[in-house]
Amino acid sequence: MSLEVISDQMAAAAILDPIRNRLLAEIAHPASATELSRRTGIARQKINYHLRTLEENGLAIQAESRKWGGITERMMVATASSYVISPEALGPVAADPEQEKDRLSASYLIAVAARIVQEVGALFRLARQEEKHLATLTMDAKIRFSSPAARAEFTRELAEAVTRLAAKYHDASSPEGRDHRLVVAAHPMYVKDVSSGSIDLTNTSIN
């Protein structure tokens, strides 16, 4: 499995622990506590403790076991190659688009993005449980606007196009229809200077 969405608070806390987070990266392929201790310099007993915590929270599983010198070692592997924490794990303090008054604000965009993670994450888990495919649509494009005026004109045309298509395909009377949520967003590109660790705002519009 390539990606896992975490909705449980205890699992979220477990993965955010620096040592456990590192161990998850180390067990992208099966490894024993002895091997992990040699790689990380952390005592094997401590490694075992953290691996048990990861296992108890569904973040790691036993891939196999092997015996040598009368000792049985468990080979542990992460349940996914990458993880996303759902706002569901944050409970009542999670971002909520309904609480944001300014629909043009960055905080509203972030809240909407968080809702996508929560809703699609829940559907993703359900689809896997039922061994079904979750139908989604994603469009991701990079656009360099020549000016704020060009950006405003693009926004106007896009809004008109989306409104026209929504009106054409929306069918509230269909008994077999299924509601979908369409989100269209635009934001300045996030560019990080690897050498300095700073964010490059040279070509970023902040106003």
Side-chain angles (χ1 to χ4, degrees):
M1 188 184 304
S2 61
L3 184 144
E4 181 69 52
V5 181
I6 298 172
S7 59
D8 180 76
Q9 290 183 345
M10 296 302 292
I15 202 171
L16 289 174
D17 177 90
I19 294 179
R20 294 168 195 158
N21 190 284
R22 181 181 178 185
L23 290 178
L24 270 182
E26 292 286 347
I27 57 174
H29 302 285
S32 67
T34 300
E35 291 173 329
L36 293 170
S37 178
R38 185 169 58 250
R39 289 185 209 166
T40 63
I42 301 172
R44 184 170 59 84
Q45 292 81 357
K46 194 170 184 178
I47 293 285
N48 275 322
Y49 166 75
H50 288 298
L51 287 177
R52 282 196 300 271
T53 301
L54 290 173
E55 185 177 18
E56 289 167 359
N57 286 283
L59 301 171
I61 57 175
Q62 179 176 322
E64 58 180 299
S65 63
R66 64 185 183 186
K67 293 184 178 180
W68 60 278
I71 299 176
T72 300
E73 277 198 323
R74 300 201 309 156
M75 305 291 288
M76 303 299 295
V77 66
T79 55
S81 59
S82 60
Y83 299 84
V84 176
I85 296 178
S86 168
E88 189 176 352
L90 300 177
V93 299
D96 181 3
E98 299 301 323
Q99 301 300 317
E100 297 293 334
K101 305 301 182 184
D102 184 1
R103 297 302 175 93
L104 298 179
S105 67
S107 59
Y108 180 70
L109 172 56
I110 293 170
V112 169
R115 182 179 63 189
I116 291 174
V117 172
Q118 180 170 335
E119 292 184 350
V120 179
L123 291 170
F124 183 47
R125 289 192 300 272
L126 182 60
R128 288 207 316 264
Q129 291 171 7
E130 298 185 357
E131 298 184 345
K132 293 182 178 180
H133 175 71
L134 180 62
T136 61
L137 168 66
T138 304
M139 292 180 287
D140 185 9
K142 177 181 177 181
I143 305 174
R144 186 181 183 91
F145 295 112
S146 61
S147 66
R151 184 180 60 196
E153 183 62 16
F154 172 84
T155 301
R156 183 189 65 77
E157 291 186 29
L158 179 61
E160 290 177 355
V162 170
T163 300
R164 183 178 68 254
L165 287 171
K168 178 180 179 179
Y169 290 99
H170 177 66
D171 188 353
S173 63
S174 175
E176 297 181 358
R178 182 171 183 178
D179 291 337
H180 284 67
R181 191 188 298 281
L182 173 66
V183 176
V184 180
H187 60 83
M189 295 285 290
Y190 178 92
V191 181
K192 187 172 183 178
D193 187 332
V194 178
S195 61
S196 65
S198 62
I199 301 173
D200 181 9
L201 300 178
T202 304
N203 296 312
T204 299
S205 175
I206 298 180
N207 47 41

